[in-house]
């Protein structure tokens, strides 16, 4: 009998996923140590390296973009999150694990008077507070956290294309849980996640079309420049400029350019003239106001 190729999954999975999975395993190993200063140092070290690796991957891999495929974490573009935004993202993750629906979506439903959505948000906030302040434990998630994390991280990087056997082979190599991986069980868990993603994608389209146009759309300029709006939960407002949708080129906030890529085609004082011209406006402030208009009357 011909032996099955246990590495066939590597031809279907994006190499970035293997790097991400390695970072995830390193963090899991650090967090598995006994409580104490050594554990704290190791976790902080891994988190710092993970942030550095994120920047390296976004810089070197023009075929990937930031953001989670399941929408459980709000996309903030290429800029690293502030401490406040990091905490919000952890809560996003926690809420999705608990309820299998993005937190932002339940917040939209709560605004419309949905009592179930309100109750789920309140319960999750209470549990999250208990955990943050050392008053746990709280009820366990209904999903295997390690497996669901890896599936969510890699679903859009090739895991959705693997057969059940290839998925199990993949997890045997990259998963830090140390347990045997059953092909059928992983296939079923992936199937449930795919359904969650489809539902979230459909709902996101419904709510997105209710927003004003300047909050929904990116603006395409000349020479491949694309501008996109971000209004973070920590209060930051900015417009990211990319080339053909990947790779950060410029960040424009209320005071002008706050971040830029040194290798960008526009440099020096030319950027103040040529970048607005790429979007057919007069200055950088007009680029910002396309997405954050002041005193605009909605009709």
């Amino acid at each position: 009998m011909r032996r099955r190729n246990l590495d066939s999954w590597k031809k279907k999975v994006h190499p970035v996923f293997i790097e991400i999975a390695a970072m995830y395993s390193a963090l899991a190993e650090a967090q598995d140590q006994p409580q104490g200063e050594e554990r704290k140092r190791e976790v902080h070290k891994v988190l710092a390296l993970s942030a550095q690796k994120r920047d390296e991957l976004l810089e070197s891999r023009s075929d990937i973009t930031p953001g989670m495929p399941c929408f459980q974490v709000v996309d903030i573009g290429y800029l690293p999150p502030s401490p406040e935004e990091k905490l919000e993202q952890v809560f996003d993750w926690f809420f999705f694990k608990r309820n299998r629906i993005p937190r932002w979506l339940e917040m939209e439903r709560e605004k419309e008077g949905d009592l179930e959505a309100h109750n789920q948000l309140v319960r999750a906030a209470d549990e999250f507070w208990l955990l943050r302040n050392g008053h746990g434990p709280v009820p366990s998630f209904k999903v295997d956290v390690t497996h669901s994390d890896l599936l969510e991280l890699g679903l859009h990087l090739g895991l959705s294309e693997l057969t059940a056997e290839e998925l199990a082979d993949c997890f045997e190599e990259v998963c830090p849980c140390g347990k045997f991986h059953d092909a059928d069980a992983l296939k079923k868990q992936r199937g449930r996640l795919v359904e969650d993603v489809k539902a979230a994608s459909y709902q996101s389209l419904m709510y997105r079309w209710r927003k004003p146009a300047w909050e929904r759309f990116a603006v395409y300029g000349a020479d491949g420049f694309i501008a996109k709006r971000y209004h973070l939960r920590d209060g930051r407002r900015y417009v990211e400029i990319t080339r053909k949708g990947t790779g950060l080129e410029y960040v424009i906030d209320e005071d002008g350019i706050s971040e830029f890529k040194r290798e960008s085609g526009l440099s020096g004082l030319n950027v103040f003239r040529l970048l607005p011209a790429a979007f057919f406006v007069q200055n950088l402030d007009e680029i910002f106001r396309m997405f954050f208009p002041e005193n605009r009357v909605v009709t």
Side-chain angles (χ1 to χ4, degrees):
M1 180 181 292
R2 184 177 179 181
R3 184 178 182 275
R4 183 164 58 87
N5 182 6
L6 299 180
D7 290 333
S8 62
W9 62 270
K10 293 182 179 179
K11 298 179 180 179
K12 300 180 181 180
V13 170
H14 197 297
V16 164
F17 172 71
I18 299 176
E19 297 185 62
I20 293 174
M23 290 189 290
Y24 181 88
S25 295
L27 180 59
E29 182 178 347
Q31 291 175 328
D32 198 40
Q33 296 185 34
Q35 292 286 346
E37 289 300 317
E38 180 64 25
R39 177 186 185 275
K40 187 181 297 184
R41 283 193 296 270
E42 286 300 311
V43 169
H44 287 170
K45 179 181 177 181
V46 173
L47 289 175
L49 290 174
S50 297
Q52 180 181 344
K53 174 61 72 171
R54 174 187 184 272
D55 293 340
E56 291 174 358
L57 289 175
L58 291 176
E59 183 70 25
S60 61
R61 298 283 189 174
S62 61
D63 54 337
I64 61 172
T65 55
M68 301 294 289
C70 306
F71 314 107
Q72 77 270 40
V73 175
V74 174
D75 180 18
I76 65 167
Y78 287 88
L79 291 185
S82 66
E84 295 85 355
E85 189 65 33
K86 284 182 180 179
L87 184 60
E88 290 286 348
Q89 289 187 345
V90 174
F91 188 25
D92 287 340
W93 172 88
F94 178 88
F95 189 90
F96 188 82
K97 285 289 185 292
R98 171 67 73 218
N99 299 292
R100 308 310 297 166
I101 190 171
R103 180 164 71 110
W104 67 264
L105 181 53
E106 285 298 75
M107 293 174 71
E108 292 289 342
R109 290 175 173 171
E110 183 189 41
K111 293 176 185 176
E112 299 173 348
D114 190 308
L115 181 59
E116 182 182 0
H118 170 75
N119 288 336
Q120 288 194 152
L121 287 165
V122 171
R123 283 196 298 268
D126 285 344
E127 291 179 357
F128 193 62
W129 184 90
L130 290 172
L131 289 175
R132 286 185 59 216
N133 290 279
H135 299 301
V138 300
S140 301
F141 297 131
K142 294 180 181 180
V143 297
D144 182 298
V145 175
T146 302
H147 292 170
S148 63
D149 279 350
L150 288 171
L151 285 168
E152 290 160 23
L153 288 168
L155 195 66
H156 67 314
L157 295 173
L159 294 190
S160 61
E161 306 301 321
L162 302 182
T163 66
E165 290 75 18
E166 288 173 333
L167 187 61
D169 292 339
C170 171
F171 272 57
E172 282 294 307
E173 183 162 330
V174 305
C175 180
C177 76
K179 302 175 182 177
F180 171 76
H181 294 90
D182 180 77
D184 188 55
L186 279 175
K187 179 183 177 181
K188 290 179 179 178
Q189 187 170 4
R190 181 181 61 182
R192 290 191 293 269
L193 176 61
V194 168
E195 291 303 312
D196 291 336
V197 172
K198 288 181 179 178
S201 298
Y202 176 74
Q203 295 286 348
S204 69
L205 287 175
M206 291 178 58
Y207 283 98
R208 187 177 301 149
W209 283 104
R210 301 180 186 182
K211 295 182 178 181
W214 57 87
E215 292 187 19
R216 286 186 276 132
F217 298 125
V219 173
Y220 290 73
D223 301 321
F225 284 113
I226 300 175
K228 187 177 180 181
R229 169 192 193 273
Y230 291 95
H231 190 175
L232 304 191
R233 293 166 294 194
D234 60 12
R236 288 185 295 170
R237 302 191 304 167
Y238 54 87
V239 177
E240 280 192 356
I241 310 293
T242 62
R243 278 285 179 94
K244 299 180 180 179
T246 60
L248 178 64
E249 297 282 332
Y250 302 96
V251 174
I252 300 175
D253 59 22
E254 293 162 291
D255 298 319
I257 294 178
S258 60
E259 302 275 348
F260 64 93
K261 178 181 176 182
R262 296 189 180 279
E263 297 79 14
S264 180
L266 306 180
S267 59
L269 295 177
N270 284 335
V271 69
F272 295 97
R273 176 175 56 87
L274 297 178
L275 190 57
F279 292 98
F280 312 102
V281 296
Q282 296 297 315
N283 51 54
L284 296 177
D285 183 66
E286 289 189 28
I287 296 179
F288 184 81
R289 296 303 165 195
M290 282 194 293
F291 298 95
F292 300 100
E294 292 181 335
N295 303 320
R296 174 171 286 188
V297 177
V298 180
T299 58

